[in-house]
Amino acid sequence: MSEVERGWFRIAAAGAPLDYLYCAEDNPDGDFDDIADADPEDAFAVYHREVRAADAAVAALPLEHTFTRPARTAAFSLRWVYVHMIEEYARHNGHADLLRERIDGRTGD
């Protein structure tokens, strides 16, 4: 989610000239593939820094602010990004809940 926060809010919406954190043109799935030496504590720290930086990057922009992304023809609004991110977080939380259910067997409480 650090990559997604950076990509949508800082790079796309705010137009910041930043590289992605884990993914590169020659390694587009680095965020999933390069995990052998991953440190969970460091990953959470990076995530929290990205969320704060993303919030700051778009704080002054109106929800109607629009922008385009490379290789996409449609324009996006900041409002759309917020809704999209709510969906993304909900989806990831659902995935985590399914994993938790497989571990502890508890459902629906």
mmCIF file of all heavy atoms in Angstrom, residues 21-56:
data_model
loop_
_atom_site.group_PDB
_atom_site.id
_atom_site.type_symbol
_atom_site.label_atom_id
_atom_site.label_comp_id
_atom_site.label_asym_id
_atom_site.label_seq_id
_atom_site.Cartn_x
_atom_site.Cartn_y
_atom_site.Cartn_z
ATOM 1 N N LEU A 21 8.663 3.170 -5.031
ATOM 2 C CA LEU A 21 9.470 2.638 -3.937
ATOM 3 C C LEU A 21 10.053 1.260 -4.250
ATOM 4 O O LEU A 21 11.213 0.997 -3.965
ATOM 5 C CB LEU A 21 8.624 2.524 -2.667
ATOM 6 C CG LEU A 21 8.139 3.839 -2.081
ATOM 7 C CD1 LEU A 21 7.047 3.594 -1.069
ATOM 8 C CD2 LEU A 21 9.308 4.565 -1.448
ATOM 9 N N TYR A 22 9.241 0.381 -4.775
ATOM 10 C CA TYR A 22 9.642 -1.006 -4.941
ATOM 11 C C TYR A 22 9.605 -1.470 -6.398
ATOM 12 O O TYR A 22 10.280 -2.425 -6.756
ATOM 13 C CB TYR A 22 8.740 -1.928 -4.114
ATOM 14 C CG TYR A 22 8.649 -1.520 -2.663
ATOM 15 C CD1 TYR A 22 7.499 -0.941 -2.142
ATOM 16 C CD2 TYR A 22 9.734 -1.706 -1.812
ATOM 17 C CE1 TYR A 22 7.426 -0.563 -0.814
ATOM 18 C CE2 TYR A 22 9.671 -1.325 -0.479
ATOM 19 C CZ TYR A 22 8.506 -0.760 0.009
ATOM 20 O OH TYR A 22 8.443 -0.374 1.329
ATOM 21 N N CYS A 23 8.786 -0.846 -7.193
ATOM 22 C CA CYS A 23 8.599 -1.264 -8.579
ATOM 23 C C CYS A 23 9.410 -0.360 -9.499
ATOM 24 O O CYS A 23 9.511 0.833 -9.267
ATOM 25 C CB CYS A 23 7.130 -1.179 -8.969
ATOM 26 S SG CYS A 23 6.068 -2.197 -7.923
ATOM 27 N N ALA A 24 9.964 -0.954 -10.527
ATOM 28 C CA ALA A 24 10.730 -0.207 -11.516
ATOM 29 C C ALA A 24 10.334 -0.714 -12.897
ATOM 30 O O ALA A 24 9.692 -1.760 -13.017
ATOM 31 C CB ALA A 24 12.227 -0.395 -11.291
ATOM 32 N N GLU A 25 10.696 0.034 -13.909
ATOM 33 C CA GLU A 25 10.335 -0.366 -15.264
ATOM 34 C C GLU A 25 10.843 -1.777 -15.574
ATOM 35 O O GLU A 25 10.142 -2.565 -16.202
ATOM 36 C CB GLU A 25 10.907 0.632 -16.266
ATOM 37 C CG GLU A 25 10.298 0.492 -17.645
ATOM 38 C CD GLU A 25 10.691 1.647 -18.542
ATOM 39 O OE1 GLU A 25 10.487 2.806 -18.143
ATOM 40 O OE2 GLU A 25 11.196 1.350 -19.640
ATOM 41 N N ASP A 26 12.041 -2.097 -15.108
ATOM 42 C CA ASP A 26 12.598 -3.424 -15.358
ATOM 43 C C ASP A 26 12.181 -4.446 -14.296
ATOM 44 O O ASP A 26 12.554 -5.617 -14.369
ATOM 45 C CB ASP A 26 14.119 -3.361 -15.455
ATOM 46 C CG ASP A 26 14.765 -2.911 -14.158
ATOM 47 O OD1 ASP A 26 14.084 -2.296 -13.314
ATOM 48 O OD2 ASP A 26 15.974 -3.161 -13.990
ATOM 49 N N ASN A 27 11.400 -4.017 -13.301
ATOM 50 C CA ASN A 27 10.950 -4.897 -12.233
ATOM 51 C C ASN A 27 9.578 -4.434 -11.745
ATOM 52 O O ASN A 27 9.431 -3.992 -10.608
ATOM 53 C CB ASN A 27 11.980 -4.884 -11.090
ATOM 54 C CG ASN A 27 11.675 -5.904 -10.028
ATOM 55 O OD1 ASN A 27 10.885 -6.809 -10.219
ATOM 56 N ND2 ASN A 27 12.312 -5.757 -8.874
ATOM 57 N N PRO A 28 8.549 -4.526 -12.601
ATOM 58 C CA PRO A 28 7.247 -3.959 -12.248
ATOM 59 C C PRO A 28 6.556 -4.633 -11.068
ATOM 60 O O PRO A 28 5.664 -4.054 -10.463
ATOM 61 C CB PRO A 28 6.423 -4.125 -13.528
ATOM 62 C CG PRO A 28 7.096 -5.213 -14.280
ATOM 63 C CD PRO A 28 8.550 -5.128 -13.929
ATOM 64 N N ASP A 29 6.958 -5.830 -10.713
ATOM 65 C CA ASP A 29 6.351 -6.534 -9.579
ATOM 66 C C ASP A 29 7.294 -6.637 -8.384
ATOM 67 O O ASP A 29 7.180 -7.536 -7.555
ATOM 68 C CB ASP A 29 5.913 -7.934 -10.012
ATOM 69 C CG ASP A 29 4.806 -7.887 -11.051
ATOM 70 O OD1 ASP A 29 3.919 -7.020 -10.931
ATOM 71 O OD2 ASP A 29 4.836 -8.714 -11.984
ATOM 72 N N GLY A 30 8.208 -5.690 -8.283
ATOM 73 C CA GLY A 30 9.169 -5.699 -7.184
ATOM 74 C C GLY A 30 8.517 -5.672 -5.822
ATOM 75 O O GLY A 30 9.054 -6.222 -4.855
ATOM 76 N N ASP A 31 7.343 -5.042 -5.713
ATOM 77 C CA ASP A 31 6.665 -4.977 -4.425
ATOM 78 C C ASP A 31 6.185 -6.345 -3.951
ATOM 79 O O ASP A 31 5.993 -6.562 -2.768
ATOM 80 C CB ASP A 31 5.518 -3.972 -4.456
ATOM 81 C CG ASP A 31 4.545 -4.182 -5.598
ATOM 82 O OD1 ASP A 31 4.845 -4.943 -6.544
ATOM 83 O OD2 ASP A 31 3.469 -3.571 -5.560
ATOM 84 N N PHE A 32 6.004 -7.288 -4.870
ATOM 85 C CA PHE A 32 5.608 -8.650 -4.501
ATOM 86 C C PHE A 32 6.767 -9.637 -4.590
ATOM 87 O O PHE A 32 6.834 -10.594 -3.834
ATOM 88 C CB PHE A 32 4.471 -9.143 -5.406
ATOM 89 C CG PHE A 32 3.156 -8.497 -5.110
ATOM 90 C CD1 PHE A 32 2.661 -7.515 -5.946
ATOM 91 C CD2 PHE A 32 2.412 -8.851 -3.998
ATOM 92 C CE1 PHE A 32 1.449 -6.911 -5.677
ATOM 93 C CE2 PHE A 32 1.205 -8.251 -3.720
ATOM 94 C CZ PHE A 32 0.715 -7.270 -4.568
ATOM 95 N N ASP A 33 7.663 -9.402 -5.532
ATOM 96 C CA ASP A 33 8.714 -10.381 -5.800
ATOM 97 C C ASP A 33 9.944 -10.243 -4.914
ATOM 98 O O ASP A 33 10.571 -11.243 -4.576
ATOM 99 C CB ASP A 33 9.161 -10.286 -7.268
ATOM 100 C CG ASP A 33 8.068 -10.713 -8.223
ATOM 101 O OD1 ASP A 33 7.102 -11.379 -7.787
ATOM 102 O OD2 ASP A 33 8.169 -10.369 -9.418
ATOM 103 N N ASP A 34 10.309 -9.045 -4.540
ATOM 104 C CA ASP A 34 11.560 -8.809 -3.814
ATOM 105 C C ASP A 34 11.325 -8.750 -2.310
ATOM 106 O O ASP A 34 11.506 -7.709 -1.675
ATOM 107 C CB ASP A 34 12.219 -7.523 -4.301
ATOM 108 C CG ASP A 34 12.538 -7.564 -5.780
ATOM 109 O OD1 ASP A 34 12.641 -8.672 -6.340
ATOM 110 O OD2 ASP A 34 12.682 -6.484 -6.378
ATOM 111 N N ILE A 35 10.947 -9.871 -1.741
ATOM 112 C CA ILE A 35 10.578 -9.874 -0.321
ATOM 113 C C ILE A 35 11.482 -10.738 0.549
ATOM 114 O O ILE A 35 11.282 -10.813 1.752
ATOM 115 C CB ILE A 35 9.113 -10.314 -0.135
ATOM 116 C CG1 ILE A 35 8.898 -11.727 -0.674
ATOM 117 C CG2 ILE A 35 8.170 -9.325 -0.794
ATOM 118 C CD1 ILE A 35 7.572 -12.327 -0.300
ATOM 119 N N ALA A 36 12.476 -11.376 -0.049
ATOM 120 C CA ALA A 36 13.326 -12.294 0.720
ATOM 121 C C ALA A 36 13.970 -11.613 1.925
ATOM 122 O O ALA A 36 14.081 -12.217 2.995
ATOM 123 C CB ALA A 36 14.402 -12.896 -0.181
ATOM 124 N N ASP A 37 14.382 -10.371 1.766
ATOM 125 C CA ASP A 37 15.037 -9.647 2.858
ATOM 126 C C ASP A 37 14.128 -8.589 3.488
ATOM 127 O O ASP A 37 14.602 -7.688 4.169
ATOM 128 C CB ASP A 37 16.308 -8.967 2.344
ATOM 129 C CG ASP A 37 17.336 -9.963 1.848
ATOM 130 O OD1 ASP A 37 17.382 -11.088 2.394
ATOM 131 O OD2 ASP A 37 18.089 -9.632 0.916
ATOM 132 N N ALA A 38 12.830 -8.712 3.263
ATOM 133 C CA ALA A 38 11.892 -7.712 3.767
ATOM 134 C C ALA A 38 11.869 -7.711 5.294
ATOM 135 O O ALA A 38 11.924 -8.753 5.936
ATOM 136 C CB ALA A 38 10.494 -7.981 3.228
ATOM 137 N N ASP A 39 11.788 -6.523 5.847
ATOM 138 C CA ASP A 39 11.715 -6.329 7.290
ATOM 139 C C ASP A 39 10.353 -5.712 7.603
ATOM 140 O O ASP A 39 10.091 -4.561 7.229
ATOM 141 C CB ASP A 39 12.842 -5.399 7.739
ATOM 142 C CG ASP A 39 12.785 -5.047 9.207
ATOM 143 O OD1 ASP A 39 11.928 -5.580 9.942
ATOM 144 O OD2 ASP A 39 13.618 -4.224 9.625
ATOM 145 N N PRO A 40 9.442 -6.443 8.251
ATOM 146 C CA PRO A 40 8.100 -5.917 8.511
ATOM 147 C C PRO A 40 8.101 -4.576 9.245
ATOM 148 O O PRO A 40 7.322 -3.687 8.909
ATOM 149 C CB PRO A 40 7.438 -7.011 9.354
ATOM 150 C CG PRO A 40 8.167 -8.253 8.982
ATOM 151 C CD PRO A 40 9.587 -7.814 8.725
ATOM 152 N N GLU A 41 8.966 -4.417 10.223
ATOM 153 C CA GLU A 41 9.019 -3.154 10.964
ATOM 154 C C GLU A 41 9.389 -1.998 10.039
ATOM 155 O O GLU A 41 8.786 -0.928 10.085
ATOM 156 C CB GLU A 41 10.016 -3.265 12.115
ATOM 157 C CG GLU A 41 9.955 -2.090 13.065
ATOM 158 C CD GLU A 41 10.816 -2.320 14.291
ATOM 159 O OE1 GLU A 41 10.729 -3.405 14.897
ATOM 160 O OE2 GLU A 41 11.567 -1.385 14.648
ATOM 161 N N ASP A 42 10.363 -2.210 9.185
ATOM 162 C CA ASP A 42 10.761 -1.194 8.218
ATOM 163 C C ASP A 42 9.642 -0.922 7.221
ATOM 164 O O ASP A 42 9.368 0.229 6.881
ATOM 165 C CB ASP A 42 12.029 -1.627 7.483
ATOM 166 C CG ASP A 42 12.494 -0.583 6.491
ATOM 167 O OD1 ASP A 42 12.714 0.578 6.897
ATOM 168 O OD2 ASP A 42 12.610 -0.919 5.283
ATOM 169 N N ALA A 43 8.965 -1.985 6.762
ATOM 170 C CA ALA A 43 7.871 -1.817 5.798
ATOM 171 C C ALA A 43 6.744 -0.969 6.387
ATOM 172 O O ALA A 43 6.191 -0.101 5.699
ATOM 173 C CB ALA A 43 7.347 -3.179 5.353
ATOM 174 N N PHE A 44 6.401 -1.196 7.655
ATOM 175 C CA PHE A 44 5.367 -0.387 8.301
ATOM 176 C C PHE A 44 5.822 1.055 8.460
ATOM 177 O O PHE A 44 5.027 1.990 8.291
ATOM 178 C CB PHE A 44 4.952 -0.980 9.649
ATOM 179 C CG PHE A 44 3.948 -2.080 9.523
ATOM 180 C CD1 PHE A 44 4.287 -3.378 9.891
ATOM 181 C CD2 PHE A 44 2.671 -1.841 9.043
ATOM 182 C CE1 PHE A 44 3.371 -4.409 9.773
ATOM 183 C CE2 PHE A 44 1.746 -2.863 8.925
ATOM 184 C CZ PHE A 44 2.096 -4.152 9.297
ATOM 185 N N ALA A 45 7.080 1.269 8.769
ATOM 186 C CA ALA A 45 7.597 2.638 8.896
ATOM 187 C C ALA A 45 7.533 3.353 7.552
ATOM 188 O O ALA A 45 7.140 4.527 7.486
ATOM 189 C CB ALA A 45 9.030 2.613 9.428
ATOM 190 N N VAL A 46 7.914 2.676 6.491
ATOM 191 C CA VAL A 46 7.824 3.262 5.146
ATOM 192 C C VAL A 46 6.374 3.592 4.829
ATOM 193 O O VAL A 46 6.064 4.672 4.327
ATOM 194 C CB VAL A 46 8.419 2.309 4.084
ATOM 195 C CG1 VAL A 46 8.077 2.773 2.669
ATOM 196 C CG2 VAL A 46 9.921 2.182 4.259
ATOM 197 N N TYR A 47 5.472 2.685 5.129
ATOM 198 C CA TYR A 47 4.046 2.909 4.867
ATOM 199 C C TYR A 47 3.546 4.149 5.607
ATOM 200 O O TYR A 47 2.890 5.008 5.008
ATOM 201 C CB TYR A 47 3.234 1.679 5.289
ATOM 202 C CG TYR A 47 1.758 1.949 5.335
ATOM 203 C CD1 TYR A 47 1.030 2.089 4.158
ATOM 204 C CD2 TYR A 47 1.105 2.108 6.540
ATOM 205 C CE1 TYR A 47 -0.330 2.368 4.196
ATOM 206 C CE2 TYR A 47 -0.249 2.385 6.592
ATOM 207 C CZ TYR A 47 -0.951 2.513 5.418
ATOM 208 O OH TYR A 47 -2.290 2.800 5.466
ATOM 209 N N HIS A 48 3.853 4.262 6.874
ATOM 210 C CA HIS A 48 3.390 5.419 7.650
ATOM 211 C C HIS A 48 3.981 6.725 7.108
ATOM 212 O O HIS A 48 3.272 7.742 7.041
ATOM 213 C CB HIS A 48 3.701 5.244 9.138
ATOM 214 C CG HIS A 48 2.840 4.206 9.782
ATOM 215 N ND1 HIS A 48 1.495 4.356 10.000
ATOM 216 C CD2 HIS A 48 3.149 2.961 10.231
ATOM 217 C CE1 HIS A 48 0.996 3.284 10.554
ATOM 218 N NE2 HIS A 48 1.982 2.409 10.712
ATOM 219 N N ARG A 49 5.237 6.704 6.694
ATOM 220 C CA ARG A 49 5.841 7.900 6.083
ATOM 221 C C ARG A 49 5.128 8.254 4.773
ATOM 222 O O ARG A 49 4.866 9.430 4.506
ATOM 223 C CB ARG A 49 7.325 7.686 5.819
ATOM 224 C CG ARG A 49 8.192 7.861 7.036
ATOM 225 C CD ARG A 49 9.673 7.969 6.691
ATOM 226 N NE ARG A 49 10.178 6.854 5.902
ATOM 227 C CZ ARG A 49 10.697 5.741 6.411
ATOM 228 N NH1 ARG A 49 10.772 5.578 7.719
ATOM 229 N NH2 ARG A 49 11.142 4.789 5.620
ATOM 230 N N GLU A 50 4.823 7.256 3.958
ATOM 231 C CA GLU A 50 4.155 7.518 2.682
ATOM 232 C C GLU A 50 2.752 8.075 2.880
ATOM 233 O O GLU A 50 2.321 8.960 2.147
ATOM 234 C CB GLU A 50 4.105 6.254 1.815
ATOM 235 C CG GLU A 50 5.350 6.005 1.041
ATOM 236 C CD GLU A 50 5.799 7.175 0.175
ATOM 237 O OE1 GLU A 50 4.991 7.765 -0.576
ATOM 238 O OE2 GLU A 50 6.983 7.517 0.246
ATOM 239 N N VAL A 51 2.019 7.558 3.851
ATOM 240 C CA VAL A 51 0.676 8.073 4.121
ATOM 241 C C VAL A 51 0.756 9.539 4.529
ATOM 242 O O VAL A 51 -0.006 10.379 4.022
ATOM 243 C CB VAL A 51 -0.051 7.223 5.186
ATOM 244 C CG1 VAL A 51 -1.316 7.920 5.680
ATOM 245 C CG2 VAL A 51 -0.378 5.845 4.633
ATOM 246 N N ARG A 52 1.684 9.872 5.426
ATOM 247 C CA ARG A 52 1.826 11.275 5.838
ATOM 248 C C ARG A 52 2.233 12.152 4.654
ATOM 249 O O ARG A 52 1.697 13.255 4.468
ATOM 250 C CB ARG A 52 2.846 11.399 6.978
ATOM 251 C CG ARG A 52 2.324 10.917 8.311
ATOM 252 C CD ARG A 52 3.253 11.263 9.460
ATOM 253 N NE ARG A 52 4.599 10.741 9.311
ATOM 254 C CZ ARG A 52 4.990 9.526 9.698
ATOM 255 N NH1 ARG A 52 4.141 8.703 10.266
ATOM 256 N NH2 ARG A 52 6.244 9.144 9.516
ATOM 257 N N ALA A 53 3.166 11.673 3.836
ATOM 258 C CA ALA A 53 3.611 12.447 2.673
ATOM 259 C C ALA A 53 2.492 12.585 1.650
ATOM 260 O O ALA A 53 2.336 13.642 1.030
ATOM 261 C CB ALA A 53 4.840 11.797 2.051
ATOM 262 N N ALA A 54 1.712 11.537 1.460
ATOM 263 C CA ALA A 54 0.588 11.590 0.518
ATOM 264 C C ALA A 54 -0.462 12.589 1.002
ATOM 265 O O ALA A 54 -0.970 13.402 0.216
ATOM 266 C CB ALA A 54 -0.028 10.203 0.346
ATOM 267 N N ASP A 55 -0.777 12.544 2.284
ATOM 268 C CA ASP A 55 -1.742 13.503 2.849
ATOM 269 C C ASP A 55 -1.267 14.930 2.629
ATOM 270 O O ASP A 55 -2.042 15.798 2.210
ATOM 271 C CB ASP A 55 -1.941 13.254 4.340
ATOM 272 C CG ASP A 55 -2.740 11.998 4.646
ATOM 273 O OD1 ASP A 55 -3.361 11.427 3.727
ATOM 274 O OD2 ASP A 55 -2.729 11.584 5.826
ATOM 275 N N ALA A 56 -0.007 15.187 2.899
ATOM 276 C CA ALA A 56 0.542 16.538 2.739
ATOM 277 C C ALA A 56 0.552 16.967 1.274
ATOM 278 O O ALA A 56 0.284 18.130 0.961
ATOM 279 C CB ALA A 56 1.958 16.603 3.310
#
